[in-house]
């Protein structure tokens, strides 16, 4: 502790931290409401008054607290003692379990940026909290390490993907350890480890046995430059996300997985999951269940004669059949060649080539301008008997429904835009109730059917509601043989092959003589990748594995006949579909997961009654069965993975459930999506052609002006806006962007840890705002959190010694806690516990800040109070908590200490409003406890901003205190305090 000698009179806003009824020239503790960094020089004093003979000295700038010593020490301790290891064989399964999982990362060469630890910190807090609440916690980490980036890097540098992957994993692992995450590193897995992908290949063989894996010629997103098929999500505006190379659509022989066989189950089982409703709705939309009708249109040539060809069409609006004025077929429709007469072939082929350059996402984008070409053929509308043109347009996909639609432009937005562009008739057949039929644009809602009757076809649905009309049309279709009721799904079978080297090999061979597909025996798994030096695309469409001729050419182990291996590899999705199961039993060489670890059996339901939320009960043959690690209780990751990864993982899990490998129908019970951490706010101004800066609110056509980034030191806030300091008339644009190398706004967590410590980074990322929201990084914000941790440190350990070091123990006392202290503590316990369980981490931190603010006003800090607070702090700032716990006399980690429980007797609000008089005149009120003492009441009055101005610098003659009624302070009008005061500073210089 150092002291500042300064001559002053009492003036607000200085406030008493301690005062006696009759002040004397002595040391008074004051709460400084100005930053101590203003005192660049201090005088060390040994006593009060004008005494003290210490020489002035310049204090060195020091860290706010010694995190650079604390954090490495406790990280070594956790690693050496395997503190967070989840027992395997000796696990006490009578305790409730909590399986908390991060969506495991792809280890890129760039390493982590500060956005990555957001979700990891949240799961770390939850896992530490659950462990302290008595749960067996499974909290592992692994690497989704196959994929295109490592292969592209290998092509560019000649470095083998294995070498790159191992190096990247080592960097990611060291960064995660630097942040103190409580992972069980004994369970670490990588999808590139042959002992892991042996079981990925095993799952594929099970799919193959059940007819859920097959080969087909299908249109794919082919990137010639990368030499591989790309998923829709890997394409942006018609080019590859990696490299920006053109992508085309072309038919290729591919492995497919029959996920469509599970469409209904994937849809139904969403209802019971504790997932964000928005994510469940995204999955429902992706599965896309719809009820409608499939009907047949007879194709007619330009001469009006039927050509003996039927075109099947699926529609969800059979009630609008009389409004169908044209048909649309996809450019890749299987019957397209038979529809196009010779004179139209050139136009159609050109259009097909244009459509092949677009991804399916682009083709179905509602904002894109509709394009198409006339096929040269017509079809007969079975309801009206009229001929309608058949068009080819890329907004219809060959993979959805039948690849053809009946277009009703009066009642569908896409059809309407197309019909207007190509001058196709628009016939309104649905009218809203009570509204004029003179409506602009398409009417897409329900109503009453009009213009829908034909004597020749025998169908009349005029006046019916849309629902009634749809049922009537389906009944008519089935009676006349024109069609039938149909349930359809947008979900398509999963394209499960890539033309890459760096992926899981398929465990199949093809006999040379017959081409027959032969699965490898399970005893020969894993089928490992051959060593290759050349990973470049072959240029022929053959995958790079085709270059490994000695590996490709093999012998059928059963028949002994010559055979060839499959040269495609599995997509990156494969390894991430089931990794959560392997974490339960990562070293098992005989099974994908031991059933006793995935679930266990108990003869008693004793624990079931206590922990129904965490244990799943099943009655069978008089025994109580309850599962153990399955399912994952809390799964945290970005919303960008919430459709395909989760859908694929759910599909594989259901297959494994059907064959008896797992005991739950869903893998992830609770899903949490963390938001993005954006780069720091950037300030931008417009500059015109003459070089003048313009205010943002005066610019209408932004395309005419250049954008200029303004340094933050030249910016100030004016009301709700940001403006130039030198010219407040120039209003600026303030924005935050996703972190990226191209914008130069990536913040490396290693740099943050070096300057502020891992605990500060963890605490700040949780304090920025709700976990699920996106928020902008602020260096100023982390500095504030860092100061908060420093206050906790000084409160427990004390201020630094003159040489900058800290005492070995603490300044915590053995006093008995007061009622005020217990109430403050248990209020904090109650709030922090509730907020952690609700994943509202930011408000939990706010509760701890309130407690520390209150604690700084106490005369002492009893050990039981501070111990409990340190346990509250530990999930958020584990390094500091462990150090303080050790300094308080504990010899082992606090990781398995009981999390404090709030006691209701200290949560009751027993506060009263106490009037305060000065010389008999009421000057204000203070909030006190019912059993507040006279000294406590006076202290609170002295700290009150309104009352303190009457007390500061005044001598007190006497105090009159009536408990629960009034406090009257009588001042001595003849005396004034005027003496040198020693201010005891509770913070370090510069903080």
């Amino acid at each position: 502790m150092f002291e500042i000698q300064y001559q002053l009179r009492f003036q607000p806003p200085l406030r008493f931290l301690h005062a006696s009824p009759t002040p004397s020239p002595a040391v008074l503790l004051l709460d400084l409401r100005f930053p101590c960094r203003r005192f660049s020089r201090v005088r060390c004093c040994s006593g009060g008054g004008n005494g003290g003979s210490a020489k002035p000295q310049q204090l060195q700038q020091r860290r706010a607290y010694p995190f650079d010593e604390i954090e490495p020490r406790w990280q070594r301790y956790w690693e050496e003692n395997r503190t967070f290891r989840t027992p395997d064989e000796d696990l006490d399964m009578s305790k409730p379990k909590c399986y908390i999982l991060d969506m495991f990362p792809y280890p890129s060469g760039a390493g982590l940026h500060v956005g990555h630890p957001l979700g990891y910190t949240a799961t770390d807090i939850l896992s530490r909290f659950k462990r302290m609440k008595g749960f067996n916690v499974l909290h592992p980490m692994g690497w989704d390490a196959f994929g295109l980036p490592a292969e592209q890097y290998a092509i560019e540098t000649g470095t083998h993907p294995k070498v790159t992957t191992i190096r990247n994993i080592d960097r990611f692992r060291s960064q995660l350890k630097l942040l103190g995450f409580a992972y069980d590193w004994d369970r670490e897995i990588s999808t590139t480890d042959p002992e892991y992908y042996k079981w990925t290949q095993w799952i594929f063989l099970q799919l193959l046995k059940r007819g859920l894996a097959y080969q087909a010629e299908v249109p794919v997103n082919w990137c010639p430059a990368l030499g591989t098929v790309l998923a829709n999500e890997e394409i942006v505006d018609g080019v590859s996300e990696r490299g920006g190379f053109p992508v085309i659509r072309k038919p290729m022989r591919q492995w497919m997985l029959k996920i469509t066989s599970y469409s209904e189950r994937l849809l139904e089982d969403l209802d019971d999951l504790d997932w964000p409703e928005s994510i469940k709705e995204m999955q429902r939309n992706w599965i896309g269940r719809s009820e409608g009708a499939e009907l047949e249109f007879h194709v007619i040539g330009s001469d009006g004669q039927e050509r003996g060809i039927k075109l099947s069409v699926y529609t969800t609006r059979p009630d609008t059949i009389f409004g169908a004025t044209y048909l649309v077929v996809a450019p890749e429709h299987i019957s397209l060649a038979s529809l196009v007469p010779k004179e139209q072939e050139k136009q159609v082929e050109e259009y097909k080539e244009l459509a092949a350059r677009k991804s399916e996402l682009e083709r179905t984008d509602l904002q894109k301008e509709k394009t198409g070409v006339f096929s040269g053929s017509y079809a007969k509308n079975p309801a009206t008997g009229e001929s309608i043109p058949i068009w080819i347009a890329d907004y219809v996909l060959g993979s959805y429904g039948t690849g053809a639609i009946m277009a009703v432009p009066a009642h569908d937005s896409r059809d309407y835009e197309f019909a207007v562009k190509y001058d196709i008739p628009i016939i309104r057949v649905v009218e809203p109730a009570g509204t004029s039929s003179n409506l602009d644009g398409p009417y897409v809602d329900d109503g009453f059917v009009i213009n829908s009757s034909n004597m020749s076809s025998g169908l009349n649905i005029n006046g019916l509601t849309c629902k009634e009309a749809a049922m009537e049309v389906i009944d008519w279709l089935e009676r006349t043989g024109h069609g039938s009721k149909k349930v359809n799904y947008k979900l398509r079978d999963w394209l499960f092959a890539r033309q890459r080297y760096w992926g899981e090999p398929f465990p199949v061979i093809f006999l040379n003589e017959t081409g027959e597909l032969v699965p490898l025996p399970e005893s020969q798994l894993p089928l490992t990748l051959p060593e290759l030096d050349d990973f470049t695309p072959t240029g022929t469409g053959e995958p790079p594995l085709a270059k490994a001729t000695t590996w490709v050419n093999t012998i059928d182990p059963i028949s002994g006949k010559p055979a060839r291996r499959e040269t495609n590899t599995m997509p990156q999705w494969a390894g991430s579909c089931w990794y959560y199961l392997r974490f339960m039993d990562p070293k098992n060489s005989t099974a994908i997961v031991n059933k006793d670890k995935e679930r266990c059996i108990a003869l008693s339901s004793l624990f079931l009654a206590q922990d129904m939320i965490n244990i799943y009960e099943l009655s069978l043959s008089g025994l109580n069965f309850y599962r153990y690690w399955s399912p994952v209780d809390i799964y945290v990751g970005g919303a960008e993975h919430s459709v395909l990864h989760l859908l694929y993982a759910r599909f594989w899990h259901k297959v494994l459930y059907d064959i008896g490998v797992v005991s739950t129908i869903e893998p992830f019970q609770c899903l949490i999506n963390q938001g993005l951490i954006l780069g720091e706010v950037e300030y931008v101004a417009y500059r015109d052609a003459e070089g003048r800066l313009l205010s943002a609110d005066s610019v209408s056509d932004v395309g005419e002006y250049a954008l200029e980034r303004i340094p933050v030191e030249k910016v100030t806030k004016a009301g709700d806006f940001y403006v130039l300091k030198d010219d407040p008339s120039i209003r600026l644009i303030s924005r935050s962007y996703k972190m990226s190398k191209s914008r130069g706004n990536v913040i490396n967590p290693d740099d943050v840890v070096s300057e502020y410590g891992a605990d500060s980074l963890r605490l700040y990322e949780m304090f920025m705002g709700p976990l699920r929201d996106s928020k902008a990084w602020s260096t100023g914000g982390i500095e504030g959190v860092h100061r908060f941790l420093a206050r906790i440190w000084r409160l427990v350990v004390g201020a630094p010694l003159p040489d900058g070091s800290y005492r070995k123990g603490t300044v915590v006392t053995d006093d008995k806690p007061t009622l005020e202290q217990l109430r403050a503590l248990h209020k904090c316990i109650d709030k922090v516990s509730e907020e952690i369980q609700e994943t509202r981490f930011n408000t939990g931190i706010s509760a701890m800040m309130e407690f520390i603010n209150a604690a700084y006003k106490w005369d002492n800090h009893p050990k039981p109070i501070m111990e409990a607070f340190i346990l509250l702090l530990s999930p958020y700032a584990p390094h500091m908590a462990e150090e303080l716990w050790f300094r308080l006399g504990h010899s082992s980690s606090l990781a398995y200490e009981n999390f404090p429980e709030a006691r209701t007797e200290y949560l009751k609000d027993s506060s009263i409003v106490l009037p305060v008089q000065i010389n008999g005149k009421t000057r204000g009120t203070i909030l006190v406890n019912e059993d507040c003492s006279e000294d406590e009441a006076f202290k609170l009055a002295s700290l009150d901003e309104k009352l303190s101005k009457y007390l500061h610098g005044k001598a007190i003659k006497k105090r009159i205190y009536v408990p629960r009624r009034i406090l009257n302070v009588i001042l001595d009008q003849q005396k004034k305090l005027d003496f040198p005061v020693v201010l005891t500073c509770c913070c370090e210089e510069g903080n």
Side-chain angles (χ1 to χ4, degrees):
M1 181 178 291
F2 62 92
E3 298 174 334
I4 305 167
Q5 184 171 340
Y6 207 81
Q7 182 79 22
L8 54 80
R9 289 182 182 273
F10 286 119
Q11 292 290 339
L14 299 179
R15 301 182 180 181
F16 289 94
L17 285 183
H18 172 76
S20 65
T22 54
S24 59
V27 174
L28 299 180
L29 297 181
L30 300 180
D31 178 11
L32 299 182
R33 298 299 174 179
F34 45 82
C36 297
R37 62 171 62 93
R38 295 183 186 177
F39 296 94
S40 58
R41 290 183 178 272
V42 299
R43 181 182 300 278
C44 295
C45 304
S46 57
N50 290 317
S53 58
K55 296 179 180 180
Q57 62 178 358
Q58 181 72 41
L59 291 184
Q60 295 179 349
Q61 183 71 25
R62 305 187 187 98
R63 293 194 183 280
Y65 70 96
F67 63 83
D68 52 330
E69 301 170 16
I70 295 169
E71 293 179 355
R73 177 162 62 247
W74 285 103
Q75 288 164 16
R76 285 193 302 271
Y77 175 92
W78 294 329
E79 187 156 4
E80 290 168 2
N81 291 274
R82 298 163 76 196
T83 302
F84 307 113
R85 173 182 170 269
T86 302
D88 203 8
E89 301 304 328
D90 54 344
L91 184 68
D92 180 5
M93 290 186 176
S94 66
K95 294 171 63 177
K97 68 92 179 181
C98 191
Y99 185 178
I100 300 174
L101 184 63
D102 298 293
M103 290 186 185
F104 70 168
Y106 180 84
S108 69
L112 299 173
H113 62 64
V114 293
H116 292 114
L118 179 65
Y120 303 153
T121 303
T123 58
D124 195 67
I125 291 170
L126 288 167
S127 67
R128 289 175 180 272
F129 173 75
K130 287 291 187 179
R131 194 177 288 113
M132 296 172 76
K133 295 291 272 184
F135 285 72
N136 284 328
V137 173
L138 182 58
H139 186 42
M141 175 51 72
W143 317 104
D144 187 15
F146 274 130
L148 186 58
E151 185 158 331
Q152 283 302 113
Y153 186 79
I155 293 170
E156 293 164 7
T157 65
T159 308
H160 196 284
K162 182 193 294 185
V163 174
T164 306
T165 298
I166 291 173
R167 183 171 63 229
N168 293 347
I169 286 174
D170 288 343
R171 172 155 171 72
F172 264 60
R173 187 192 303 109
S174 66
Q175 287 186 295
L176 293 177
K177 288 185 176 181
L178 187 68
L179 293 168
F181 294 135
Y183 292 121
D184 179 359
W185 289 107
D186 285 3
R187 294 176 183 259
E188 180 183 3
I189 59 175
S190 169
T191 56
T192 62
D193 181 353
E195 288 305 307
Y196 178 84
Y197 69 70
K198 163 186 177 178
W199 297 105
T200 308
Q201 292 171 336
W202 181 86
I203 295 173
F204 176 80
L205 290 178
Q206 311 316 304
L207 293 164
L208 191 61
K209 287 178 187 177
R210 286 155 182 80
L212 296 171
Y214 64 96
Q215 287 191 303
E217 191 91 0
V218 294
V220 297
N221 300 316
W222 173 252
C223 180
L226 296 176
T228 188
V229 170
L230 298 177
N232 287 332
E233 293 67 38
E234 297 171 311
I235 304 168
V236 179
D237 296 329
V239 298
S240 61
E241 185 177 33
R242 184 172 182 85
F245 301 114
V247 178
I248 62 172
R249 296 282 290 176
K250 64 177 285 188
M252 291 183 68
R253 181 186 64 86
Q254 296 290 298
W255 280 102
M256 308 292 292
L257 298 187
K258 216 168 192 178
I259 190 173
T260 51
S261 297
Y262 284 75
S263 298
E264 196 62 35
R265 288 168 63 181
L266 288 167
L267 191 62
E268 287 179 354
D269 294 341
L270 280 170
D271 294 340
D272 296 328
L273 295 177
D274 182 15
W275 289 14
E277 192 56 41
S278 60
I279 300 302
K280 292 200 280 188
E281 194 59 29
M282 286 169 68
Q283 290 225 346
R284 292 187 186 106
N285 291 337
W286 193 268
I287 296 167
R289 185 185 190 277
S290 61
E291 294 185 4
E294 191 167 289
L295 55 155
E296 292 181 340
F297 287 74
H298 289 271
V299 177
I300 300 172
S302 56
D303 57 1
Q305 300 299 312
E306 289 192 13
R307 298 177 51 193
I309 303 172
K310 295 180 181 178
L311 201 57
S312 292
V313 165
Y314 173 77
T315 179
T316 58
R317 294 291 304 270
D319 54 305
T320 62
I321 189 170
F322 284 89
T325 57
Y326 66 104
L327 300 186
V328 181
V329 297
E332 59 274 11
H333 194 281
I334 192 171
S335 301
L336 185 59
S338 62
L339 298 176
V340 181
K342 192 169 184 178
E343 60 269 20
Q344 288 292 105
E345 283 180 356
K346 183 179 178 182
Q347 285 181 283
V348 171
E349 286 303 315
E350 288 175 352
Y351 183 77
K352 285 173 63 179
E353 187 177 333
L354 287 172
R357 297 175 188 170
K358 299 180 184 178
S359 71
E360 290 189 358
L361 290 178
E362 286 182 282
R363 287 172 55 177
T364 55
D365 186 351
L366 295 177
Q367 306 306 316
K368 294 281 185 181
E369 183 181 0
K370 304 300 177 289
T371 63
V373 63
F374 178 49
S375 71
S377 295
Y378 297 82
K380 181 186 289 185
N381 185 328
T384 65
E386 296 177 357
S387 295
I388 58 176
I390 302 173
W391 283 75
I392 303 157
D394 61 11
Y395 74 87
V396 174
L397 302 178
S399 53
Y400 176 64
T402 64
I405 66 165
M406 68 174 203
V408 185
H411 305 291
D412 181 273
S413 298
R414 296 182 309 169
D415 297 345
Y416 179 83
E417 292 174 26
F418 192 90
V420 169
K421 180 174 180 178
Y422 293 104
D423 197 24
I424 300 172
I426 300 172
I427 300 174
R428 190 175 300 280
V429 292
V430 177
E431 189 172 51
T435 305
S436 169
S437 60
N438 296 321
L439 300 173
D440 293 329
Y443 176 71
V444 299
D445 295 324
D446 287 342
F448 290 92
V449 176
I450 58 173
N451 301 327
S452 298
S453 174
N454 184 273
M455 293 182 62
S456 299
S457 65
L459 181 61
N460 181 359
I461 52 175
N462 280 332
L464 299 179
T465 64
C466 288
K467 187 175 181 180
E468 293 169 340
M471 295 171 62
E472 183 67 28
V473 170
I474 291 172
D475 183 58
W476 174 81
L477 289 171
E478 292 177 340
R479 284 199 322 268
T480 59
H482 290 302
S484 61
K485 184 176 182 179
K486 180 79 172 179
V487 174
N488 200 23
Y489 299 89
K490 284 199 297 185
L491 183 65
R492 301 178 295 281
D493 281 348
W494 177 6
L495 194 156
F496 194 72
R498 296 293 185 268
Q499 290 66 49
R500 301 174 187 163
Y501 166 73
W502 195 234
E504 297 93 334
F506 283 95
V508 297
I509 58 176
F510 300 90
L511 298 181
N512 287 358
E513 289 182 3
T514 63
E516 179 188 351
L517 184 152
V518 178
L520 284 183
E522 293 177 11
S523 60
Q524 292 201 357
L525 301 181
L527 171 62
T528 57
L529 282 169
E531 292 295 326
L532 272 186
D533 296 324
D534 180 11
F535 317 103
T536 56
T538 60
T540 64
E542 281 284 328
L545 272 179
K547 299 175 182 180
T549 54
T550 56
W551 180 84
V552 173
N553 296 311
T554 186
I555 299 296
D556 177 11
I558 299 173
S559 67
K561 295 178 180 180
R564 286 177 57 85
R565 298 193 191 280
E566 171 64 82
T567 54
N568 285 313
T569 53
M570 299 184 198
Q572 187 177 349
W573 303 103
S576 62
C577 275
W578 70 279
Y579 71 104
Y580 60 93
L581 289 173
R582 194 61 178 171
F583 280 136
M584 301 176 191
D585 195 13
K587 304 295 191 293
N588 196 328
S589 61
T590 60
I592 187 171
V593 62
N594 187 315
K595 290 185 179 181
D596 289 341
K597 295 174 182 177
E598 194 267 339
R599 59 187 173 188
C600 70
I601 300 173
L603 298 178
S604 170
S605 60
L606 172 63
F607 298 100
L608 298 177
Q610 298 172 350
D611 296 288
M612 288 301 293
I613 293 177
N614 308 289
I615 298 175
Y616 302 82
E617 185 176 1
L618 187 68
S619 295
L620 183 65
S621 303
L623 297 179
N624 288 316
F625 287 75
Y626 60 91
R627 305 181 182 99
Y628 211 66
W629 289 127
S630 269
V632 175
D633 296 283
I634 300 171
Y635 194 30
V636 177
E640 66 272 18
H641 304 297
S642 294
V643 175
L644 292 187
H645 159 60
L646 290 176
L647 199 64
Y648 295 155
R650 293 178 63 220
F651 164 49
W652 276 32
H653 189 88
K654 291 181 184 301
V655 174
L656 293 174
Y657 175 81
D658 289 347
I659 64 178
V661 173
V662 298
S663 57
T664 62
I665 60 174
E666 286 287 337
F668 314 116
Q669 184 58 35
C670 173
L671 175 69
I672 298 173
N673 296 130
Q674 84 271 14
L676 293 174
I677 290 185
L678 307 173
E680 291 211 53
V681 174
E682 297 176 10
Y683 302 96
V684 180
Y686 292 106
R687 192 177 288 278
D688 64 15
E690 286 75 36
R692 294 171 299 190
L693 289 177
L694 304 175
S695 183
D697 56 347
S698 67
V699 173
S700 56
D701 187 358
V702 297
E704 297 180 5
Y705 306 100
L707 285 174
E708 181 172 320
R709 191 167 172 178
I710 306 298
V712 66
E713 60 270 15
K714 295 184 178 181
V715 177
T716 188
K717 192 168 186 182
D720 294 331
F721 305 101
Y722 291 92
V723 297
L724 280 177
K725 278 183 181 178
D726 296 339
D727 185 357
S729 68
I730 304 297
R731 185 189 296 180
L732 306 175
I733 302 169
S734 58
R735 295 174 181 165
S736 293
Y737 297 89
K738 186 177 179 180
M739 290 187 184
S740 67
K741 288 182 182 178
S742 61
R743 293 203 66 85
N745 64 350
V746 173
I747 296 172
N748 188 329
D750 297 7
D751 298 335
V752 178
V753 170
S754 175
E755 186 170 357
Y756 298 103
D759 284 343
S760 292
L761 176 58
R762 293 166 57 106
L763 207 65
Y764 174 59
E765 294 215 346
M766 295 296 97
F767 189 58
M768 291 173 75
L771 175 63
R772 295 162 177 82
D773 292 356
S774 294
K775 43 260 177 184
W777 178 267
S778 167
T779 300
I782 196 171
E783 288 173 350
V785 167
H786 186 61
R787 288 194 297 270
F788 166 64
L789 286 174
R791 294 187 76 206
I792 297 172
W793 177 262
R794 293 192 301 271
L795 194 69
V796 179
V797 176
L801 300 172
D803 64 355
S805 65
Y806 290 88
R807 68 188 80 238
K808 296 294 183 184
T810 68
V811 294
V812 170
T813 69
D814 292 324
D815 298 336
K816 183 179 179 181
T818 66
L819 183 60
E820 176 193 1
Q821 291 168 336
L822 288 169
R823 283 177 173 161
L825 171 66
H826 285 271
K827 179 182 176 182
C828 185
I829 293 171
D830 185 55
K831 186 68 172 175
V832 171
S833 298
E834 178 185 350
E835 301 306 87
I836 288 179
Q837 292 182 88
E838 296 297 326
T839 65
R840 294 190 294 258
F841 303 111
N842 56 319
T843 48
I845 296 171
S846 297
M848 289 190 284
M849 288 179 169
E850 290 178 17
F851 174 84
I852 291 299
N853 288 339
Y856 259 96
K857 299 173 185 177
W858 299 340
D859 295 330
N860 63 354
H861 300 96
K863 186 175 181 179
I865 297 290
M866 299 317 298
E867 282 185 331
F869 176 77
I870 288 166
L871 293 176
L872 286 184
L873 177 69
S874 64
Y876 289 89
H879 305 90
M880 174 180 280
E882 290 275 24
E883 179 70 16
L884 296 179
W885 189 253
F886 175 75
R887 285 171 172 262
L888 286 170
H890 302 279
S891 58
S892 60
S893 169
L894 53 65
Y896 293 90
E897 293 292 326
N898 291 329
F899 199 81
E901 296 285 347
R903 293 172 57 178
T904 54
E905 62 264 34
Y906 297 121
L907 299 177
K908 296 175 182 175
D909 186 8
S910 57
S911 301
I912 60 170
V913 177
L914 184 75
V916 178
Q917 293 183 343
I918 308 296
N919 291 334
K921 187 172 182 179
T922 301
R923 296 293 187 180
T925 61
I926 55 175
L927 194 66
V928 301
N929 293 321
E930 289 182 346
D931 52 358
C932 179
S933 67
E934 180 180 332
D935 286 347
E936 290 172 331
F938 179 75
K939 179 180 175 181
L940 289 170
S942 302
L943 292 169
D944 183 84
E945 187 172 355
K946 185 177 180 181
L947 295 168
S948 62
K949 65 183 180 183
Y950 298 103
L951 299 174
H952 288 160
K954 306 291 177 59
I956 310 256
K957 189 173 184 179
K958 69 174 181 176
R959 299 186 314 216
I960 302 169
Y961 180 62
V962 181
R964 301 183 181 87
R965 299 292 297 277
I966 199 167
L967 169 66
N968 188 4
V969 182
I970 308 300
L971 303 178
D972 190 334
Q973 305 293 343
Q974 306 303 316
K975 288 187 179 181
K976 288 188 179 180
L977 295 180
D978 188 6
F979 53 83
V981 179
V982 176
L983 308 182
T984 302
C985 182
C986 297
C987 59
E988 303 169 52
E989 185 182 18
N991 292 282

